[in-house]
Amino acid sequence: MSRGLFAGIFATLLFAAALVGACGVLLESALRAHAPVERFGGAAAVVTGPQSVERRMKRLGSEPEAESRPLTERARIPVAAAARLRAVPGVRDVVADVSFPVVLPSGRAVTGHGWESAALRPYRLSAGRAPRAPDEVVMSKAAGARPGDLIRIQTDRAARPYRVVGVVGSGPDAAFFTTPAAAALYGHPGQADALALIGDDLDEKALREAAPGGLTVATGAARGDAENPAVAAARPDMVEISLSLGGVAIMTALVVAGGLIVLSVRERMREFALLRTVGATPGQVRGRLVRETARIGAPAALAGGVLSLGLGAAMHGAMAREGVLPDGFGLALGPLPVLAAFAVTLLAAVATAFLASLRVSRIRPVQALGEAAVEPARLPRWRLISGVVFLVLGLNALGFSTTATGPDAAASVGGLVMALIVATALLGPLVARFGARVLGRAARTVSPIAGGMAQHSAGAAALRAGSLITPVALAVAFASVQLFAHSTVAHATRGQAEAGNRADRIIVPSGPGLPRGVAEAARRAPGVTAATPVKRTTVIMPVTALGEQTLQSLSARGVGADAAATMDPKVTSGGLAGLRGDAVALSRDVAGGHDVGSTVSLSLGDGTAIKARVVAVYDRGLGFGDVLLPRDLVAAHSSSPLDDHVLVRGKDADLRAVTAAHPGARAVSPDAFGAELSREIRLQGFVNQVVVAAITGFILIGLVTTLALATAARRREFALLRLVGATRGQVLRMLRLEAAIVLGTGVAAGALIAAVTLPAFAAAVTGVPLPWVPPPTAAAILTCVAGSGAAAILLPARAVLRRRTSPTIS
């Protein structure tokens, strides 16, 4: 094997292993993720409410299956449960921990607790004493308050003055009140967020038996999940993303690395034919090729596996910096991703080499020598049949995309793209011949002689051209579908939010939220005709698609009774006026067979199951969430009672008094609010951008390597052209036109796959088969793929043509 082929296959397999291993790093991090234990560091165990909802979902032709989704809000537990827990051997004390948001005069937000919760970290007084009266508070040192200061503190109620009587040192920002005062501010008598157990050598079995049914007992690192449920809630989504990304990475590695190995076998056809001629058996030829590939693949896969730790850490760090991952979602680095990357990459390389060696080892030596000079005109029957099968699978996935809605449509896109890409790889020579006929005419128009030579070269070497077209089509199709699917959803979300907005001003917080009094005060402000509080949450509900049920976490909003005056979700049946009590409004994407007047079973943010009466069905689910609920119902089952924002109707509304009375509150225009929404959407798509950057980068590496090696392997052809009188410029002109034909065919194939996929996705998600394709992004994809491909063809060709032409062609 030549040094060029060795280096090219080594580099491709190395990057393939790095990409697969990086997906493994993200998966392992998701499986091991726990929020850091900070406030519960002094507790031996923490008892909380349920952390997930489990239901049995219907399946077509099979028994119902249990599905589970994590809760995004804390499930409260009765304080009375502490009596049984205190009887467990080793338990010295049980602290009923409550948490509620507190806003300081500066607008800064901290978390409020009862003073007895200070022992859980433990917090130490650095100055002053513990609170004893309802109007006394102990503040964190970072808040800048000193004993004796009088500060106004806002919770879910109007701001009132409190006397600072003590300061605690290091630890998460907090404000500590007397236990009765904290219970009153918490607003849920007889309940707590968690029961923290202080003691030594606890009997975990006895502890779990003492905990009432349905409660969760957390020890060790799991205590962090009880402290901050956001990490546990994000874990299943990251597992799904990592598995999906890993599957795409493996398929991509198979297509790119496999194509390069097949091309290398094709370029060495003369060598294998000579081996057969001198007496080598088919088994010896296959063994040699497999052993060579294994000798290259083993060190490449091992080095790539080691590099995958750094790549996975970089991807995790990028998502954490952008706020895509919640605080405390740690990075796990272990040997498993390295071993998985090594095994998958080496197995894929050896399997591809074995399959590629079957035909070259079986055919007669004379036939092999003939095919080394001239490619066979017809595709092998197995390749043709396999290509048709994957094409049919892709068309079936396309049919599913056109009938599915929302998440189901999004999930089917990846399978659709990969099926069509594999079909393109298998049927690549046929695609190459078609492209040579169509684009070759244009090449002859530009330059009759060089264009004719380019057309003949691209058409005659269809097997080689097919191997070159596949990575080009893969890069264009994958990047286009991933980026433009998200841009389509983002554009539709912004458009629906803007079209459905009836508010003239929006009151937004600088901290965790707005107290209930903000909406009430806004209604009384001069010039205001309506003020609707909005609180975001997540509900868990069965969604029916194509006769099957899946348990899904859906974005939801709790809204006030006057929602119809400030928002227009484009109600198609029913009305928002009935949105009170246990009523619900559903978007068409999740409504399924639920019509107005029917009853739907769902679980609120804290896991409370309710049967809600459907009062409206609407179209603008992207802009207003999949589910609308009464604000008071959502607040009663949320970790925080604060509103996310308040929509205000009234062109001449004067909200200065409202914002002045509530620290951190400010009134913004709909345009400014829309800009903040766009930023949130951009962050939501950051994971998608990381995926596209990683996989498309690998595809481009494989593309450049494949094209460069294929061009360098044509030195005999270039030498022959020079010997028959072609100048260096004429050969380069032919190569430029041939590159235009091959790359143009690949780009057209990738664009066709995207053109088939994206309208089906857009129709399912937005209702209109018009994807949003930003021209700069599309131009960047085409320029990057075509530019790197052209450079990979022309630069090696220039290097080969600089060499002195030998009078003999060896």
Side-chain angles (χ1 to χ4, degrees), residues 340-666:
F342 175 82
V344 169
T345 305
L346 184 58
L347 180 62
V350 171
T352 304
F354 177 76
L355 293 175
S357 69
L358 290 179
R359 186 171 187 275
V360 72
S361 63
R362 288 174 178 171
I363 62 176
R364 293 187 298 273
V366 174
Q367 183 183 357
L369 286 172
E371 290 190 9
V374 180
E375 289 185 353
R378 301 178 63 181
L379 278 180
R381 181 176 300 177
W382 70 267
R383 187 167 177 175
L384 183 62
I385 295 175
S386 300
V388 173
V389 168
F390 276 97
L391 184 62
V392 172
L393 290 176
L395 294 177
N396 285 338
L398 175 63
F400 176 80
S401 296
T402 58
T403 57
T405 59
D408 293 321
S412 66
V413 169
L416 168 60
V417 172
M418 292 311 301
L420 293 179
I421 282 294
V422 173
T424 302
L426 293 170
L427 303 177
L430 299 181
V431 177
R433 292 191 184 106
F434 180 78
R437 285 197 298 270
V438 176
L439 298 181
R441 298 191 186 99
R444 288 202 310 270
T445 303
V446 174
S447 176
I449 297 177
M453 294 172 61
Q455 183 184 22
H456 180 270
S457 178
L463 285 175
R464 180 186 66 205
S467 298
L468 305 182
I469 286 170
T470 301
V472 177
L474 177 59
V476 173
F478 179 80
S480 298
V481 170
Q482 292 295 323
L483 292 178
F484 299 148
H486 176 261
S487 68
T488 298
V489 174
H491 179 71
T493 300
R494 288 191 295 267
Q496 290 183 11
E498 292 174 1
N501 178 58
R502 291 178 174 175
D504 299 296
R505 302 285 285 175
I506 298 97
I507 303 177
V508 297
S510 58
L514 301 169
R516 179 195 302 268
V518 172
E520 297 173 354
R523 293 190 186 100
R524 298 191 299 267
V528 174
T529 59
T532 304
V534 178
K535 181 169 182 57
R536 295 174 182 168
T537 187
T538 300
V539 301
I540 299 173
M541 189 180 90
V543 176
T544 302
L546 300 180
E548 289 196 356
Q549 283 187 333
T550 56
L551 193 64
Q552 296 185 8
S553 297
L554 305 175
S555 62
R557 298 187 183 187
V559 297
D562 55 354
T566 56
M567 63 173 63
D568 177 20
K570 199 173 182 181
V571 175
T572 56
S573 61
L576 300 183
L579 206 58
R580 55 175 59 90
D582 286 346
V584 64
L586 302 175
S587 72
R588 65 174 177 86
D589 291 333
V590 301
H594 297 291
D595 299 321
V596 173
S598 64
T599 301
V600 59
S601 298
L602 56 85
S603 297
L604 300 173
D606 64 351
T608 301
I610 65 170
K611 289 188 177 294
R613 180 173 51 87
V614 179
V615 297
V617 176
Y618 55 92
D619 280 346
R620 292 173 176 154
L622 292 174
F624 293 91
D626 291 313
V627 179
L628 294 178
L629 293 161
R631 183 266 176 202
D632 292 342
L633 178 63
V634 170
H637 296 276
S638 298
S639 302
S640 167
L642 302 181
D643 296 321
D644 288 284
H645 56 270
V646 175
L647 303 174
V648 179
R649 183 78 178 270
K651 294 183 178 180
D652 300 324
D654 185 357
L655 301 173
R656 288 175 294 180
V658 178
T659 56
H662 298 87
R666 68 186 192 281

